[in-house]
């Protein structure tokens, strides 16, 4: 059964969604992310993906107080990403109650530090963020494209024990045009033991069902839920 992971993206302490990572195309869905998290738990979700968009842009954690409030108010298993660049950042995220952290840009720019964190905290507490645009990994809040190609990038980290990977196809994110299922199929063919979390483009229950039929282990969704396009009663919670 596919793991279902709703997302809360935070800017200025508010629950928002962007389109294709564009900060100028921001829509606020709720002023209170904690209330949203409590509602997700009430509906039966067990996991939550929290993204500090201010942190991603500022290159250091900004909304750790919101993370702490969410983990204090719920029993959700929360993974947290956005702006984790230093040992202080990762400690701050774990101290605020994150069960796992998502490492994105830092996994490209400082592989040695990430390897140190994998050894220190354990691969099970690390999610590798692979944000893809035109086949290359994008960094720093999707503002820059690196020279890292997806499959070789993933291989470097699976060789270090990483199993949890959040893969976002940026061109799909926030568009409600369907996920990049073929891309995820290719990743799973290369890494059949990976716990791949599909992200970007989910528009309906049908999209989730299609990902499950294609053997994708997990999916993150946000905008489709907030805009009433997902029927929670029909989800395999």
């Amino acid at each position: 059964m596919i793991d279902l992971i709703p997302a809360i993206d935070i800017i200025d302490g508010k629950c928002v969604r962007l389109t294709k990572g564009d900060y100028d195309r921001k829509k606020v869905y709720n002023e209170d992310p904690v209330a949203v998290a409590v509602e997700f738990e009430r509906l039966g979700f067990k996991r939550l993906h929290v993204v500090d968009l201010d942190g991603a842009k500022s290159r250091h954690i900004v909304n750790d107080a919101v993370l702490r409030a969410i983990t204090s108010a719920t029993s959700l298993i929360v993974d947290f990403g956005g702006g984790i660049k230093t040992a202080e950042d990762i400690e701050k995220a774990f101290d605020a109650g994150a069960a796992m952290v998502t490492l994105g840009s830092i996994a490209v720019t400082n592989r040695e530090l990430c390897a140190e964190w994998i050894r220190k905290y354990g691969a099970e507490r690390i999610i590798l963020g692979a944000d893809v645009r035109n086949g290359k990994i994008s960094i720093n809040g999707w503002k820059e494209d690196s020279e890292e190609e997806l499959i070789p990038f993933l291989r470097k980290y699976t060789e270090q024990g990483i199993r949890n990977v959040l893969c976002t196809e940026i061109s799909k994110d926030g568009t409600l045009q369907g996920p990049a299922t073929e891309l995820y199929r290719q990743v799973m063919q290369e890494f059949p033991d990976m716990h791949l979390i599909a992200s970007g483009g989910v528009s309906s229950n049908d999209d989730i069902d299609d990902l499950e039929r294609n053997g994708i282990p997990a999916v993150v969704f946000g905008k489709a839920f907030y805009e009433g396009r997902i029927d929670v009663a029909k989800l395999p919670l």
Side-chain angles (χ1 to χ4, degrees), residues 9 11 16-29 53 57 143 170-177 223 227:
D9 292 358
I11 291 179
V16 307
R17 295 298 291 175
L18 307 182
T19 299
K20 298 184 180 181
D22 187 344
Y23 283 73
D24 293 327
R25 298 170 70 186
K26 174 186 72 177
K27 183 173 181 178
V28 177
Y29 284 97
L53 289 174
K57 195 172 185 179
K143 299 298 182 187
I170 294 170
S171 69
K172 295 280 191 178
D173 192 69
T175 65
L176 300 173
Q177 293 177 356
K223 192 171 188 177
E227 300 208 348

Side-chain angles (χ1 to χ4, degrees), residues 101-112:
V101 294
T102 301
L103 304 182
S105 303
I106 192 69
V108 174
T109 60
N110 196 334
R111 195 169 297 130
E112 294 78 12

Side-chain angles (χ1 to χ4, degrees), residues 111 128 130-132 134-137 147-159 165 167 182-192 194 196:
R111 195 169 297 130
L128 180 65
D131 302 327
V132 184
N134 300 322
K136 301 288 182 68
I137 303 297
E147 292 303 311
E148 293 272 4
E149 295 185 355
L150 177 60
I151 297 301
F153 174 72
L154 296 178
R155 185 167 289 112
K156 291 170 187 174
Y157 279 98
T158 57
E159 290 172 353
V165 174
C167 186
E182 185 54 36
L183 174 68
Y184 304 134
R185 279 169 48 86
Q186 292 171 11
V187 171
M188 291 305 299
Q189 286 171 2
E190 290 283 342
F191 308 100
M194 180 178 287
L196 179 65

Side-chain angles (χ1 to χ4, degrees), residues 4-8 33-50 66-80 96-100 226 237:
L4 302 167
I5 310 172
I8 292 178
V34 178
V36 176
V38 168
E39 177 64 7
F40 280 139
E41 185 171 45
R42 187 193 70 79
L43 290 169
F45 293 100
K46 303 296 189 294
R47 287 275 306 270
L48 180 64
H49 176 60
V50 176
V66 179
L67 170 63
R68 186 182 300 277
I70 288 172
T71 59
S72 297
T74 74
S75 298
L76 294 165
I77 299 168
V78 179
D79 70 79
F80 180 83
M100 293 170 279
Y226 297 120
L237 293 172

